[in-house]
Amino acid sequence: MEVTFRVIGRAGWGGLSRGFCAEMLQSLVKNVWIPVKVYCTRVYQEIWVGTGLMGFTVYKIRTADKRRKALKALSLAPAHGHR
Amino acid sequence: MNENLFTSFITPTMVGIPIVPLIIMFPSILFPSPSRLIDNRLVSIQQWLVRLTSKQMLSIHSHKGQTWALMLMSLILFIGSTNLLGLLPHSFTPTTQLSMNLGMAIPLWAGTVATGFRYKTKASLAHFLPQGTPSPLIPMLVIIETISLFIQPVALAVRLTANITAGHLLIHLIGGATLTLTSISTITAFITFTVLVLLTILEFAVALIQAYVFTLLVSLYLHDNT
């Protein structure tokens, strides 16, 4: 509520002044990050390993798809070029 | 009925920008954080449900396994609320996308396996060979157990995707059939409409059951590794 009243009284670019953004970030850190910090940094370390594994899999699939599309475009291009 | 049956599964965009992250974050608005000792009715009911589910699900776990309570409860609430919101007409259900479900299944499964290898290495390796296996069968059984281990996240993701997608498709088809039959035969349309109502009730149950099954299986994999 306090933050909302300050936004109304503050002149800025659509109410999103630097001060308001800083307050929002502070509120986010105090109410969200501080309570879950222990979980994210210590308890769920193995889940981050799993997330990295999944990210690696996604990267491999994407690069393979790009390579396949590039090869397909290359194989089609000489056929078009001969016309 | 949509001209194409699968248009409801296309990721929605607004002015060219995909709005899937907003849709994924939307269910969190429906679960306000408790701020008082005794909250309003909605928060009290949600707290009661979470306590009931967590007691039932976490009673089998050791101290290490119970540290995953936050993750498991968040998982069941997210999947349950997403599936239920997807039953609203013309809505998009993120859990019909295999990419989304693999994105949930792989990190959680890998997390349970990594926990097992980190804290109980011998016991985790022992899972690759069931007790009492005859010696000639050992190599084959190790291969089979390895395959069954790696298939777990795929099965988790595909189970959720297939159940939710199939349910939505059936609702589309039977709804379209009901609409078409109203101009042909009223009695048949009424019977089809009754089937549609029963199917919708079933889909409500499936939405909750699939959330429970997903979370229960992750909890079981964790229990095997802690």
Side-chain angles (χ1 to χ4, degrees):
Chain A
M1 287 300 279
E2 200 185 318
V3 173
T4 314
F5 287 132
R6 278 191 205 163
V7 168
I8 291 166
R10 191 167 288 186
W13 181 56
L16 285 173
S17 62
R18 251 182 272 165
F20 178 63
C21 288
E23 273 176 33
M24 210 160 67
L25 198 64
Q26 278 175 9
S27 166
L28 205 73
V29 167
K30 184 182 152 201
N31 295 316
V32 177
W33 174 244
I34 302 284
V36 299
K37 195 169 86 164
V38 178
Y39 288 98
C40 289
T41 52
R42 287 169 65 182
V43 182
Y44 298 146
Q45 287 169 348
E46 293 88 11
I47 296 179
W48 290 118
V49 171
T51 312
L53 173 73
M54 188 196 65
F56 178 71
T57 314
V58 167
Y59 165 75
K60 278 288 180 191
I61 293 171
R62 276 215 179 127
T63 45
D65 190 39
K66 268 188 203 163
R67 211 179 303 129
R68 184 183 63 88
K69 281 182 181 157
L71 278 168
K72 199 173 174 183
L74 262 172
S75 65
L76 284 171
H80 287 302
H82 279 306
R83 284 182 190 174
Chain B
M1 189 178 154
N2 292 330
E3 51 193 342
N4 183 355
L5 199 58
F6 296 97
T7 49
S8 60
F9 300 115
I10 297 168
T11 50
T13 54
M14 196 184 279
V15 203
I17 304 164
I19 52 168
V20 179
L22 284 173
I23 296 169
I24 290 172
M25 288 193 290
F26 177 73
S28 61
I29 298 171
L30 305 172
F31 298 99
S33 309
S35 53
R36 296 181 180 82
L37 188 64
I38 300 170
D39 277 285
N40 58 29
R41 284 188 189 90
L42 176 68
V43 176
S44 300
I45 290 170
Q46 286 171 357
Q47 278 184 319
W48 174 77
L49 275 169
V50 167
R51 268 192 215 117
L52 183 75
T53 320
S54 57
K55 259 191 224 169
Q56 196 269 322
M57 208 169 268
L58 295 161
S59 55
I60 56 161
H61 284 288
S62 61
H63 177 71
K64 179 73 192 144
Q66 284 177 0
T67 57
W68 277 55
L70 180 67
M71 179 58 72
L72 294 172
M73 287 303 109
S74 307
L75 190 66
I76 194 169
L77 284 175
F78 172 70
I79 299 176
S81 56
T82 309
N83 289 348
L84 285 170
L85 283 170
L87 289 169
L88 293 168
H90 298 287
S91 63
F92 172 72
T93 320
T95 43
T96 53
Q97 308 298 309
L98 185 62
S99 54
M100 159 99 176
N101 295 334
L102 278 171
M104 287 193 293
I106 293 178
L108 291 171
W109 165 82
T112 59
V113 170
T115 307
F117 276 109
R118 185 180 176 184
Y119 294 107
K120 288 187 175 178
T121 318
K122 273 189 206 168
S124 295
L125 286 169
H127 282 133
F128 286 107
L129 189 66
Q131 215 171 12
T133 311
S135 307
L137 287 174
I138 288 174
M140 196 176 74
L141 222 55
V142 169
I143 294 167
I144 289 169
E145 288 293 322
T146 312
I147 293 168
S148 81
L149 177 73
F150 283 100
I151 235 157
Q152 281 172 355
V154 179
L156 266 179
V158 170
R159 184 185 300 111
L160 183 57
T161 310
N163 270 290
I164 304 300
T165 310
H168 285 211
L169 276 174
L170 268 172
I171 288 174
H172 270 280
L173 283 167
I174 294 176
T178 309
L179 216 58
T180 314
L181 283 167
T182 41
S183 52
I184 300 168
S185 163
T186 319
I187 298 170
T188 322
F190 181 72
I191 295 168
T192 325
F193 180 71
T194 316
V195 170
L196 180 66
V197 168
L198 292 171
L199 182 66
T200 310
I201 295 168
L202 176 69
E203 283 309 309
F204 271 94
V206 164
L208 293 168
I209 288 166
Q210 285 306 314
Y212 177 69
V213 163
F214 194 104
T215 314
L216 185 70
L217 283 169
V218 171
S219 159
L220 282 173
Y221 300 153
L222 179 70
H223 180 63
D224 285 341
N225 286 295
T226 50

